[in-house]
Coordinates of all heavy atoms in Angstrom, one line a residue:
D17 N -3.8 15.8 -16.6 CA -5.1 15.3 -16.3 C -5.1 14.2 -15.2 O -4.3 13.3 -15.3 CB -5.7 14.6 -17.6 CG -7.1 14.1 -17.4 OD1 -8.0 14.9 -17.2 OD2 -7.2 12.8 -17.5
A18 N -5.9 14.4 -14.2 CA -6.1 13.5 -13.2 C -7.6 13.1 -13.2 O -8.5 14.0 -13.2 CB -5.7 14.0 -11.8
W19 N -7.9 11.8 -13.3 CA -9.3 11.4 -13.4 C -9.6 10.2 -12.6 O -8.8 9.2 -12.5 CB -9.6 11.0 -14.9 CG -11.0 10.7 -15.2 CD1 -12.0 11.6 -15.4 CD2 -11.6 9.4 -15.2 NE1 -13.1 10.9 -15.6 CE2 -12.9 9.6 -15.5 CE3 -11.1 8.1 -15.1 CZ2 -13.8 8.5 -15.6 CZ3 -11.9 7.0 -15.2 CH2 -13.3 7.3 -15.5
R20 N -10.7 10.2 -11.9 CA -11.1 9.1 -11.0 C -12.3 8.4 -11.4 O -13.3 9.0 -11.8 CB -11.3 9.7 -9.5 CG -11.6 8.6 -8.6 CD -11.8 9.1 -7.2 NE -12.1 8.0 -6.2 CZ -12.1 8.1 -4.9 NH1 -11.8 9.2 -4.4 NH2 -12.5 7.1 -4.2
F21 N -12.3 7.1 -11.3 CA -13.4 6.2 -11.4 C -13.9 5.9 -10.0 O -13.2 5.2 -9.3 CB -13.1 4.9 -12.2 CG -14.2 4.0 -12.4 CD1 -15.1 4.3 -13.4 CD2 -14.4 2.9 -11.7 CE1 -16.2 3.5 -13.7 CE2 -15.5 2.0 -11.9 CZ -16.4 2.3 -12.9
E22 N -15.0 6.5 -9.6 CA -15.4 6.4 -8.2 C -16.7 5.6 -8.1 O -17.8 6.1 -8.4 CB -15.7 7.9 -7.7 CG -16.0 8.0 -6.3 CD -16.1 9.5 -5.8 OE1 -16.7 10.3 -6.5 OE2 -15.4 9.8 -4.8
A23 N -16.6 4.4 -7.6 CA -17.8 3.5 -7.7 C -18.3 2.9 -6.4 O -19.3 2.2 -6.5 CB -17.3 2.3 -8.6
Q24 N -17.7 3.2 -5.3 CA -18.2 2.6 -4.1 C -19.6 3.3 -3.6 O -19.7 4.5 -3.8 CB -17.2 2.8 -2.9 CG -15.9 2.2 -3.3 CD -15.9 0.9 -3.9 OE1 -16.4 -0.1 -3.3 NE2 -15.3 0.7 -5.1
P25 N -20.5 2.5 -3.1 CA -21.8 3.1 -2.7 C -21.6 3.9 -1.4 O -22.4 4.9 -1.2 CB -22.7 1.9 -2.4 CG -21.8 0.7 -2.3 CD -20.5 1.0 -3.1
T26 N -20.6 3.7 -0.7 CA -20.3 4.4 0.6 C -18.8 4.4 0.8 O -18.1 3.5 0.4 CB -21.1 3.9 1.8 OG1 -21.0 4.8 2.8 CG2 -20.6 2.5 2.2
Y27 N -18.3 5.4 1.5 CA -16.9 5.5 1.9 C -16.9 5.8 3.4 O -17.7 6.6 3.9 CB -16.2 6.6 1.2 CG -16.1 6.4 -0.3 CD1 -17.0 6.9 -1.1 CD2 -15.1 5.6 -0.8 CE1 -17.0 6.6 -2.5 CE2 -15.0 5.4 -2.2 CZ -15.9 5.9 -3.0 OH -15.9 5.6 -4.4
S28 N -16.1 5.0 4.1 CA -15.9 5.2 5.6 C -14.6 5.8 5.9 O -13.6 5.1 6.0 CB -16.1 3.8 6.3 OG -17.3 3.3 6.1
M29 N -14.5 7.1 6.0 CA -13.3 7.8 6.2 C -13.4 8.5 7.6 O -14.3 9.3 7.7 CB -13.0 8.8 5.1 CG -12.8 8.1 3.8 SD -12.4 9.2 2.4 CE -14.0 10.0 2.2
P30 N -12.5 8.2 8.5 CA -12.6 8.7 9.9 C -12.7 10.3 9.9 O -13.5 10.8 10.6 CB -11.4 8.2 10.6 CG -11.0 7.0 9.8 CD -11.4 7.2 8.4
R31 N -11.9 10.9 9.0 CA -11.9 12.4 9.1 C -13.2 13.0 8.5 O -13.5 14.1 8.8 CB -10.7 13.0 8.3 CG -10.8 12.8 6.8 CD -9.6 13.5 6.2 NE -9.8 13.7 4.8 CZ -9.5 12.8 3.8 NH1 -8.9 11.7 4.1 NH2 -9.7 13.1 2.6
E32 N -14.0 12.2 7.8 CA -15.2 12.7 7.2 C -16.5 12.3 8.1 O -17.5 12.9 7.9 CB -15.4 12.1 5.8 CG -16.3 12.8 4.9 CD -16.3 12.2 3.5 OE1 -16.3 10.9 3.3 OE2 -16.3 13.0 2.5
A33 N -16.3 11.4 9.0 CA -17.4 10.9 9.8 C -18.2 12.0 10.5 O -19.4 12.0 10.5 CB -16.9 9.8 10.8
P34 N -17.5 13.0 11.1 CA -18.3 14.0 11.8 C -19.2 14.8 10.8 O -20.4 15.2 11.1 CB -17.3 14.9 12.4 CG -16.1 14.1 12.6 CD -16.1 13.1 11.4
S35 N -18.7 15.1 9.6 CA -19.5 15.8 8.6 C -20.7 15.0 8.1 O -21.8 15.5 8.0 CB -18.7 16.2 7.4 OG -17.7 17.1 7.7
V36 N -20.5 13.7 7.9 CA -21.6 12.8 7.5 C -22.6 12.8 8.6 O -23.8 12.8 8.3 CB -21.1 11.4 7.1 CG1 -22.2 10.5 6.8 CG2 -20.1 11.4 5.9
A37 N -22.2 12.7 9.8 CA -23.2 12.6 11.0 C -24.0 13.9 11.0 O -25.2 13.9 11.2 CB -22.4 12.4 12.3
R38 N -23.3 15.1 10.8 CA -24.1 16.3 10.8 C -25.1 16.4 9.7 O -26.2 16.8 9.9 CB -23.1 17.5 10.7 CG -22.4 17.8 12.0 CD -21.6 19.2 12.0 NE -20.6 19.3 11.0 CZ -19.3 18.9 11.2 NH1 -18.9 18.5 12.4 NH2 -18.5 19.1 10.2
F39 N -24.7 15.9 8.5 CA -25.6 15.9 7.4 C -26.8 15.0 7.7 O -27.9 15.4 7.5 CB -24.9 15.3 6.1 CG -25.8 15.0 5.0 CD1 -26.4 16.0 4.2 CD2 -26.2 13.7 4.8 CE1 -27.3 15.7 3.2 CE2 -27.1 13.4 3.7 CZ -27.6 14.4 2.9
M40 N -26.5 13.8 8.3 CA -27.6 12.9 8.6 C -28.6 13.4 9.7 O -29.7 13.1 9.7 CB -27.1 11.5 9.1 CG -26.3 10.8 8.0 SD -27.3 10.5 6.5 CE -28.6 9.4 7.1
R41 N -28.1 14.3 10.5 CA -28.9 15.0 11.5 C -29.7 16.2 10.9 O -30.5 16.8 11.6 CB -28.1 15.4 12.7 CG -27.6 14.3 13.6 CD -27.0 14.8 14.9 NE -25.9 15.8 14.7 CZ -24.6 15.4 14.7 NH1 -24.2 14.2 14.9 NH2 -23.7 16.4 14.5
G42 N -29.4 16.5 9.7 CA -30.1 17.6 9.0 C -29.5 19.0 9.3 O -30.2 20.0 9.1
E43 N -28.3 19.0 9.8 CA -27.7 20.3 10.1 C -27.2 21.0 8.9 O -27.1 20.4 7.8 CB -26.5 20.0 11.1 CG -26.9 19.5 12.4 CD -25.7 19.2 13.3 OE1 -24.6 19.7 13.1 OE2 -25.9 18.5 14.3
E44 N -26.9 22.3 9.0 CA -26.4 23.0 7.9 C -25.0 22.6 7.5 O -24.2 22.3 8.4 CB -26.5 24.5 8.2 CG -27.9 25.1 8.3 CD -28.6 25.2 7.0 OE1 -27.9 25.5 6.0 OE2 -29.8 24.8 7.0
K45 N -24.6 22.7 6.3 CA -23.3 22.5 5.9 C -22.3 23.6 6.3 O -22.7 24.8 6.1 CB -23.2 22.3 4.3 CG -21.8 22.1 3.8 CD -21.8 21.9 2.3 CE -21.9 23.2 1.6 NZ -21.7 23.1 0.1
P46 N -21.2 23.3 6.9 CA -20.3 24.3 7.3 C -19.7 25.1 6.1 O -19.5 24.5 5.1 CB -19.1 23.5 8.0 CG -19.7 22.2 8.4 CD -20.8 21.9 7.4
V47 N -19.5 26.3 6.3 CA -19.0 27.2 5.2 C -17.7 26.7 4.6 O -17.5 26.7 3.4 CB -18.9 28.7 5.7 CG1 -18.3 29.5 4.6 CG2 -20.2 29.2 6.1
D48 N -16.8 26.2 5.5 CA -15.5 25.7 5.0 C -15.4 24.2 4.7 O -14.4 23.7 4.6 CB -14.5 26.1 6.1 CG -14.7 25.3 7.4 OD1 -15.8 24.8 7.6 OD2 -13.8 25.3 8.2
H49 N -16.6 23.6 4.5 CA -16.6 22.2 4.2 C -15.8 21.9 3.0 O -15.9 22.4 1.9 CB -18.1 21.7 3.9 CG -18.2 20.2 3.6 ND1 -18.0 19.3 4.6 CD2 -18.3 19.6 2.5 CE1 -18.1 18.1 4.0 NE2 -18.3 18.3 2.8
N50 N -14.8 20.9 3.1 CA -14.0 20.4 2.1 C -13.1 21.5 1.5 O -12.6 21.4 0.4 CB -14.8 19.8 1.0 CG -14.1 18.6 0.4 OD1 -13.2 18.0 0.9 ND2 -14.7 18.1 -0.7
A51 N -12.8 22.6 2.3 CA -12.0 23.7 1.8 C -10.6 23.3 1.3 O -10.1 23.9 0.3 CB -11.9 24.8 2.8
R52 N -9.9 22.4 2.0 CA -8.6 22.0 1.5 C -8.6 21.4 0.1 O -7.7 21.7 -0.7 CB -7.9 21.1 2.6 CG -7.5 21.8 3.8 CD -6.7 21.0 4.8 NE -6.2 19.7 4.3 CZ -6.0 18.7 5.1 NH1 -6.3 18.7 6.4 NH2 -5.5 17.6 4.6
W53 N -9.5 20.5 -0.1 CA -9.6 20.0 -1.5 C -9.9 21.0 -2.5 O -9.4 21.1 -3.6 CB -10.7 18.8 -1.5 CG -10.8 18.3 -2.9 CD1 -11.9 18.4 -3.7 CD2 -9.9 17.5 -3.6 NE1 -11.7 17.7 -4.9 CE2 -10.5 17.2 -4.8 CE3 -8.6 17.1 -3.3 CZ2 -9.8 16.4 -5.8 CZ3 -7.9 16.3 -4.3 CH2 -8.5 16.0 -5.5
H54 N -10.8 22.0 -2.2 CA -11.2 23.0 -3.1 C -9.9 23.9 -3.4 O -9.7 24.2 -4.6 CB -12.3 23.9 -2.5 CG -13.5 23.2 -2.3 ND1 -14.5 23.6 -1.4 CD2 -14.0 22.0 -2.7 CE1 -15.5 22.8 -1.4 NE2 -15.2 21.8 -2.2
E55 N -9.1 24.1 -2.4 CA -7.8 24.9 -2.7 C -6.9 24.1 -3.6 O -6.3 24.7 -4.5 CB -7.1 25.2 -1.4 CG -7.8 26.2 -0.5 CD -7.2 26.2 0.9 OE1 -6.1 25.7 1.1 OE2 -7.9 26.8 1.8
R56 N -6.8 22.8 -3.4 CA -6.0 22.0 -4.3 C -6.5 22.0 -5.7 O -5.8 22.2 -6.7 CB -5.9 20.5 -3.8 CG -5.0 20.4 -2.6 CD -4.9 19.0 -2.1 NE -4.2 18.1 -3.1 CZ -4.1 16.8 -3.0 NH1 -4.7 16.2 -2.0 NH2 -3.5 16.1 -3.9
V57 N -7.8 21.8 -5.9 CA -8.4 21.8 -7.2 C -8.2 23.1 -7.9 O -7.8 23.2 -9.1 CB -10.0 21.5 -7.1 CG1 -10.6 21.7 -8.5 CG2 -10.2 20.0 -6.7

Side-chain angles (χ1 to χ4, degrees):
D17 181 65
W19 185 84
R20 182 175 179 173
F21 183 77
E22 186 175 48
Q24 304 314 302
T26 192
Y27 295 92
S28 297
M29 297 180 287
R31 71 175 196 271
E32 201 174 45
S35 292
V36 174
R38 283 193 298 271
F39 169 78
M40 294 304 296
R41 288 190 302 265
E43 295 178 17
E44 292 291 320
K45 177 176 81 170
V47 174
D48 64 345
H49 180 75
N50 217 12
R52 287 188 11 211
W53 177 248
H54 299 160
E55 290 171 15
R56 287 181 68 189
V57 169

